[in-house]
Amino acid sequence: MKYAYEYYKKSAEYIQERAGGEIGLGLVLGSSLGGISELIQDRIIIKYKEIPNFLMSTVDSHAGELLIGTLSGKKVVCMSGRFHYYEGYEFERLAVPMRVFKLLGVKKVILTNAAGGINTDYKPGDVMLISDHIKLTGASPVRGPNIPELGPRFFDVSNMYTRTLRELAKAEAEKQGIDLKEGVYFYATGPQFETPAEIRAMRILGGDAVGMSTVTEAITAAHCGMEVLGISLITNMAAGVLDQPVTTEEVDLEGRKAKDKLERLITSVVGAM
């Protein structure tokens, strides 16, 4: 039964009993970006630990809550806090949230994260639209027996970060006067930050920003047939770009400083979807 269709269905049924009805849009909030959840109206809050077969967030800056409510007139399900390989979860376990979203009726998902800037034209506080990603770890969240009810065994990911959603986000950013970058997100497993040599290699391979999340969710969402919009907040420059260490304090600080800008962008994009 583990990782079979019924495993995910049990989680979704518990959430639907509390929330009622299908939910078309999912939102995942990354490190220090949980304040966006305060904009959701008529909120139903469910602690992750209450949901059967769900995961537990161990990151201090993540609330560990699922919120269902209305944002910019749309019914949404929002994860305030996410899960990572470095917390000890198998890659296959990291498929749980998006598969549960699929069973809740989610068709589109917005994935946000805090990331380190590899591109030397970037600076802390910039917002980057994810056009594509690079993952060289070899493992996949959809490894193992396929579940046909959730998606096909083999699937195309050439448009994983949905082009039409990216164009919509660019248009909304322009309306809001937000300078929106667009680039490639490089996935690293963590929890240690990357070495300067690794960052140089990532830059050569085409990475513009680096982080420890989002990619497993994007792959699972693509398998489930969802449209994906990925947004990175550049909270620091990656190791070796500046002559200073990378710290979690810097990540948290830039997250708080960029709060208003991200709120305007996300609410505007959700309203336009």
Side-chain angles (χ1 to χ4, degrees):
M1 182 61 68
K2 188 178 182 183
Y3 306 139
Y5 179 77
E6 293 297 324
Y7 183 88
Y8 305 102
K9 186 178 178 183
K10 188 173 182 180
S11 303
E13 286 177 343
Y14 178 86
I15 296 165
Q16 285 174 325
E17 287 174 4
R18 299 279 300 273
E22 285 200 348
I23 305 162
L25 178 61
L27 182 62
V28 180
L29 303 180
S31 297
S32 303
L33 305 179
I36 295 168
S37 65
E38 298 299 322
L39 301 176
I40 298 174
Q41 299 176 325
D42 304 317
R43 291 184 295 166
I44 298 169
I45 301 175
I46 307 174
K47 295 286 188 183
Y48 292 161
K49 63 183 179 182
E50 299 173 8
I51 304 171
N53 298 336
F54 214 64
L55 312 184
M56 295 282 289
S57 179
T58 65
V59 181
D60 291 341
S61 60
H62 291 212
E65 296 174 340
L66 195 71
L67 297 90
I68 297 98
T70 303
L71 181 64
S72 298
K74 307 290 173 59
K75 188 169 183 180
V76 301
V77 55
C78 173
M79 286 177 61
S80 186
R82 55 148 56 91
F83 314 107
H84 311 79
Y85 177 73
Y86 66 72
E87 294 176 79
Y89 290 116
E90 304 164 354
F91 274 98
E92 294 90 333
R93 282 283 278 161
L94 295 174
V96 169
M98 292 302 105
R99 286 179 166 176
V100 172
F101 274 21
K102 164 81 170 181
L103 297 180
L104 291 174
V106 170
K107 303 293 191 300
K108 300 175 182 178
V109 63
I110 300 175
L111 307 175
T112 72
N113 62 58
I118 296 174
N119 189 323
T120 54
D121 290 333
Y122 291 3
K123 63 183 184 302
D126 281 346
V127 179
M128 186 191 85
L129 197 61
I130 301 176
S131 60
D132 205 343
H133 77 237
I134 299 172
K135 180 184 77 69
L136 301 180
T137 57
S140 171
V142 293
R143 174 180 175 268
N146 189 54
I147 302 174
E149 296 93 335
L150 297 177
R153 169 77 289 180
F154 303 105
F155 56 103
D156 178 55
V157 291
S158 56
N159 190 33
M160 184 183 307
Y161 299 94
T162 311
R163 188 173 294 104
T164 54
L165 293 186
R166 299 201 320 262
E167 293 304 318
L168 183 148
K170 291 176 194 176
E172 294 304 311
E174 186 174 358
K175 291 178 186 176
Q176 295 293 329
I178 296 171
D179 178 21
L180 188 62
K181 311 294 186 185
E182 187 171 20
V184 174
Y185 180 88
F186 203 112
Y187 174 71
T189 57
Q192 74 284 348
F193 291 114
E194 303 73 39
T195 69
E198 287 170 336
I199 294 301
R200 290 195 298 273
M202 291 174 184
R203 186 179 297 117
I204 291 169
L205 290 172
D208 293 293
V210 60
M212 306 171 190
S213 68
T214 302
V215 167
T216 54
E217 296 152 350
I219 292 170
T220 310
H223 177 255
C224 290
M226 297 180 200
E227 296 182 33
V228 177
L229 180 66
I231 300 174
S232 294
L233 171 63
I234 306 302
T235 52
N236 58 280
M237 297 310 293
V241 178
L242 302 176
D243 187 19
Q244 63 187 48
V246 179
T247 67
T248 54
E249 289 78 14
E250 183 182 13
V251 171
D252 293 342
L253 175 62
E254 288 298 333
R256 292 192 295 271
K257 286 167 61 177
K259 176 177 177 289
D260 291 343
K261 178 165 57 176
L262 280 174
E263 287 178 357
R264 285 190 289 117
L265 177 60
I266 289 174
T267 54
S268 181
V269 168
V270 170
M273 280 184 168

